[in-house]
Each structure stands twice: as C-alpha cells, then as structure tokens.
C-alpha cells in the first residue's frame, strides 16, 4: 500500500509531525560473514568435500543426494512438530 501511495511505510502507522527516530540496531553481519565455507576451517572442509564428490560415480551421487533429502525432510518435520 505504501509503495502504491509512494510514501514511506512508517507513515501508514505513525501519527506524528516528524518521522520516528531510527532504533539503534546491533551491527549486522555482512553477506561475506554468512557465506559458509568462505574461510578457515569451513573452507578446508568444503574443499575436501568437493574433492570427494568429484570422484563419485553417478549412482553414489544419487544415493548421497537421496539421503540428504530424507534427512532435511526429517529435520523440517521435527521442527514443524515443535511449533
């Protein structure tokens, strides 16, 4: 709605003359901080994992991906049950 009216979002919810003060937020992590395997121990582990994956034949690769898919569904189901 704010975009259609071409007004800042806060104006839909704020009834004042001046815009509200910005909250002081903790420092956010950058996208490079969030990239798993971009440096350190994780990077070494990822490199070894990639090397092993490149040596697998197609049947083994399919089995590995199938197992990973089943595990991720199991985790998602358990998290859904907790909520």
């Amino acid at each position: 709605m704010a975009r259609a009216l071409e007004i800042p979002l806060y104006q839909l919810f704020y009834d004042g003359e001046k815009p509200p003060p910005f909250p002081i937020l903790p420092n956010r992590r950058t996208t490079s901080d969030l990239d798993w395997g971009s440096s350190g121990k994780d990077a070494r582990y990822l490199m070894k994992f990639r090397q092993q994956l490149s040596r697998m034949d197609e049947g083994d690769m399919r089995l590995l991906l199938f197992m990973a898919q089943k595990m991720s569904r199991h985790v998602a189901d358990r998290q859904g049950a907790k909520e």
Side-chain angles (χ1 to χ4, degrees), residues 27-39:
N27 292 336
R28 291 182 162 228
R29 293 170 45 174
T30 63
T31 55
S32 62
D33 293 338
L34 301 176
D35 291 338
W36 182 86
S38 60
S39 64

Side-chain angles (χ1 to χ4, degrees), residues 23-72:
I24 298 173
L25 301 173
N27 292 336
R28 291 182 162 228
R29 293 170 45 174
T30 63
T31 55
S32 62
D33 293 338
L34 301 176
D35 291 338
W36 182 86
S38 60
S39 64
K41 184 178 177 182
D42 293 337
R44 290 188 300 276
Y45 183 76
L46 181 59
M47 182 183 67
K48 288 180 183 181
F49 188 64
R50 290 176 60 199
Q51 288 172 346
Q52 295 302 319
L53 284 175
S54 69
R55 295 178 185 155
M56 291 180 125
D57 64 11
E58 187 175 345
D60 290 340
M61 182 73 72
R62 285 181 185 268
L63 177 61
L64 180 64
L65 293 175
F66 175 76
M67 290 174 24
Q69 184 180 33
K70 294 287 274 187
M71 291 170 64
S72 68

Side-chain angles (χ1 to χ4, degrees), residues 71-83:
M71 291 170 64
S72 68
R73 283 185 184 158
H74 179 72
V75 169
D77 290 344
R78 290 184 72 198
Q79 288 176 348
K82 288 181 181 179
E83 293 175 0

